[in-house]
Amino acid sequence: MSEVIIPPPSSVSPINPQSVPGAMAAPPVTVHMATASPGSLPAGPAGGGDGPGGGHVTAIRRLLRRLRGVMAGSGSAQERLDRIVRVVAAEMVAEVCSAYVMRAGEVLELFATKGLRPEAVHRTRLRVGEGLVGVIAATGRPLALADAQTHPDFAYRPETGEEIYHSLMGVPILRGGRVLGVLVVQNRTPRHYTEDEIEVAQTIGMIVAELVASGELVNPLEMAQSRGGVSVSIRLDGIKLNGGLAVGPAVLHEPKVVIRQVVAEDVEAEQTRLRDAVEAMQYAIDRLVDASRKLGPGEHRDIIEAYRMFAADRGWLGRITEAVRSGLTAEAAVQKVRDETRSRMLQISDPYLRERLYDLEDLANRLQQYLTGQAPGLDETDAPQDFILVAHSMGPAELLDYADRRLRGLILEEGSPTAHVSIVARAFDIPVVGRVPDATRKIETGDIVIVDGEHGAVLIRPRADVQHSIQTAIEARSRRRAYYDTLRDSPAITSDGVPIRLLLNAGLLIDLSQLRLTGAEGVGLFRTEIPLLTRNAYPDVADQTEFYRRAYEQAEGRPIVFRTLDIGGDKVLPYLANSPEENPAMGWRAIRIGLDRPAMLRQQLRALLRAAGGHELLIKFPMIAEIAEFEAARRLVDMEVTRLAAEGHAAPCSIKLGVMLEVPSLLWQLPALLQRVDFMSIGTNDLAQFLYACDRGNPRLADRYDLLSAPMIALFREVIAQCATAGKPLSMCGEMAGSPLDAMVLIGLGFRTLSLSATSLGPVKAMLRSLDAGHMADYLSEIGTRPDHSLRAWVHAYARDHGVNV
């Protein structure tokens, strides 16, 4: 089954209203005359001043002032709604004003009325599409009728006593493109409601919508189940923090606590409250740490352990205690220290420290919640079956609060792939989209939301058919994953008997747990810079050694190819001084930094050599542009090997050095280079952008050039031939290897080792087991010289005609 991808916006995020059933594309349905009816609001254009229409504007302003007073007044939400319908009835000179609110199951319930029988309140119910009120909700459009009872959709409810009222005007109560209810006015005599009166009623509906959306009248999660009426779908774009696909009602993560008292009445009592809350918080964090152990070893465990240490930090707790001694309540003291720390940290450009601000916010929120008697996370009674969490930012422990509550996806306004919350989400296999602008403002609690982690996209309030498609895709994805699991122990051999070596791309210790789960033969690319992006200082040799030793332990004897630091460009270490570059992808990065800062590279090589005692050590250098750079890097390795022996450390059983072919200049040095290296890998991401002079980060050029084009295929053929002549192993570790269709071409060309992400390994193995590699090679020879922009269509046709599982 083909993958479902959320369609991109044409120019703006909201989907075309004409594509949404019931969208407000048509004008209001009205029955009116040119002149105002007796008792209506003064007619005239909606202008200002004392000229024509001034009386109308004055009346509107008076009405809105009264309504603002009601909204700001005391009393429950129900009491305020009761006052609103009385004010509207009086100001619009109507015998009846009623408010219907959407309940679960697409049911509109009479919540307040002035004029109908009081006993009908909370008893009268209409389904969406039933009666005139239901029609207004279903279409999301106003309706004005001088004689409502003659309309074919009129539905009589005897308990309301509305048979004496003939004219009716109703408007949907809309918020964020969603119908929350219907506001209706009625009159005994036939009344021709004017355009101005309809406009006023719509304005009143916006005010009432805020009251309904507050959640005080109806539980927001209950309202989410009613999808009746207009529902404007909106697409928001962000970045992929963790792949996957999920759909469910949104729950807004709103951890902030309202501080009702700032000055302490009893300082000693506040200190006691603070101590008790800290103890309760630390106990709860201990339980979260214990719960995280079931996920196995990895960075997520280190993150939670570090979080626990931060929660017990004497400096942080000491500043809060001092603030309490100064006369603040415990809650206010936490807020004071939080604000001061946040103010300092926001002035820091260091990305790592800015990311740690989320951990601080998490702790401060958590402590304030314990002080006010609130349990962090979602109340069990409010938790829907499956939900999508929406937050501005989150700390790792906050995510753990939700992780065992059927959390299906996460949307963040901030975040990065190396943020602590992203790493923990990866451990739980939760799809995450980050850097989604205004997500907490545009998504309301209860909105149905689709999270497309693979493409970094979010769809709010999708149409029913889109929901169905996404749900079908999720189910198909689950079936495919179950099928791929059955292939885990099956050999990666093509249908004509050609063995293919499938390796894993990794960057964190948690990624290594996928070796056993996927059946990968080893790690073809370990991105050593990824763990460093989450630290606030360059780790010393001992720390690096321990990290690499743990990697070997988790690999359980499988080979690991370590790529030395590929920093610079879009991967900037916060503790390494750097200056802005006009073209960072071609700037000071990767091996160039390593050779210019040999102490940094030597420390990494020293750690790798120590950790690899008794193991095979495989190292490859990124962004090599000339043989001299490889020779310089090898000299540093030789120096560290000599040092290793002098210090008496156990040596690796063998050391092999290779390069990443990413810079096209190496293509004219291959014969000489292959005499010096032990193996070679191709990284298609950088190679393609350098070959085509095409910035891969430029959205205008994203689809301009295809990897399955004649130039790229010719390049691959040449490299494969020269490596075969030199007898040197060649692997593909770029993103291209993770696409079944692209991998099919790579195998046909002669690649026998592919390194790819864990999620891609199953689909690629399923593909190659259905592929005749020899027949594919012949086909590529036939089409490989075509002048087409891309050969993708030809390859896809081959897969379809020959039953290749792509």
Side-chain angles (χ1 to χ4, degrees), residues 338-413:
R338 170 186 179 171
D339 291 343
E340 289 174 349
T341 309
R342 181 180 179 84
S343 178
R344 288 198 304 272
M345 293 182 75
L346 284 177
Q347 315 215 357
I348 298 172
S349 58
D350 185 322
Y352 172 84
L353 293 179
R354 293 287 293 271
E355 288 284 355
R356 300 297 71 77
L357 178 60
Y358 302 148
D359 297 357
L360 172 68
E361 296 281 297
D362 183 341
L363 273 174
N365 289 330
R366 187 172 297 270
L367 183 52
Q368 286 182 325
Q369 286 172 324
Y370 278 104
L371 283 167
T372 56
Q374 303 175 31
L378 190 63
D379 191 294
E380 197 69 54
T381 59
D382 293 334
Q385 279 288 335
D386 300 278
F387 64 95
I388 307 296
L389 194 61
V390 184
H392 175 69
S393 61
M394 289 192 81
E398 286 178 302
L399 182 63
L400 287 174
D401 289 330
Y402 294 95
D404 60 350
R405 303 284 187 87
R406 298 180 65 84
L407 173 62
R408 289 294 174 260
L410 177 62
I411 301 168
L412 298 171
E413 292 181 327

Side-chain angles (χ1 to χ4, degrees), residues 267-278 324 371:
V267 172
E268 290 185 6
E270 292 299 317
Q271 289 179 323
T272 301
R273 289 181 63 236
L274 178 61
R275 281 194 300 271
D276 292 345
V278 169
V324 171
L371 283 167

Side-chain angles (χ1 to χ4, degrees), residues 653-727:
C653 62
S654 67
I655 302 173
K656 294 181 179 177
L657 305 180
V659 298
M660 292 280 291
L661 175 55
E662 300 168 291
V663 183
S665 60
L666 276 188
L667 295 171
W668 287 270
Q669 307 171 68
L670 279 179
L673 177 66
L674 289 171
Q675 293 176 17
R676 292 167 169 81
V677 300
D678 297 304
F679 63 93
M680 178 178 287
S681 296
I682 294 181
T684 52
N685 298 345
D686 277 323
L687 180 60
Q689 74 169 340
F690 297 150
L691 184 69
Y692 289 114
C694 175
D695 180 5
R696 66 182 181 181
N698 187 333
R700 293 183 177 181
L701 302 178
D703 300 320
R704 190 173 187 90
Y705 301 104
D706 194 340
L707 291 172
L708 296 187
S709 60
M712 189 63 78
I713 287 177
L715 184 155
F716 290 155
R717 284 190 190 280
E718 179 66 20
V719 175
I720 291 168
Q722 294 211 34
C723 285
T725 300

Side-chain angles (χ1 to χ4, degrees), residues 423-489:
I423 295 171
V424 174
R426 210 166 298 144
F428 280 99
D429 195 25
I430 297 171
V432 187
V433 176
R435 299 185 196 171
V436 181
D438 299 323
T440 56
R441 183 176 64 83
K442 294 179 178 177
I443 301 174
E444 296 183 23
T445 292
D447 278 342
I448 299 298
V449 177
I450 293 171
V451 178
D452 185 354
E454 295 299 334
H455 302 92
V458 173
L459 191 64
I460 311 167
R461 298 184 296 274
R463 301 191 315 263
D465 59 329
V466 175
Q467 285 187 55
H468 177 73
S469 297
I470 293 294
Q471 195 61 53
T472 301
I474 292 173
E475 293 168 1
R477 185 172 183 264
S478 297
R479 288 194 299 271
R480 287 197 303 271
R481 291 180 69 171
Y483 169 63
Y484 300 148
D485 288 343
T486 66
L487 299 178
R488 180 184 59 190
D489 299 322

Side-chain angles (χ1 to χ4, degrees), residues 485 488-489 504 511-521 553-556 558:
D485 288 343
R488 180 184 59 190
D489 299 322
L504 207 63
D511 296 333
L512 299 180
S513 63
Q514 297 295 324
L515 283 169
R516 185 183 299 174
L517 297 175
T518 61
E521 296 182 42
E553 289 173 358
Q554 292 190 38
E556 298 177 329
R558 300 177 185 87

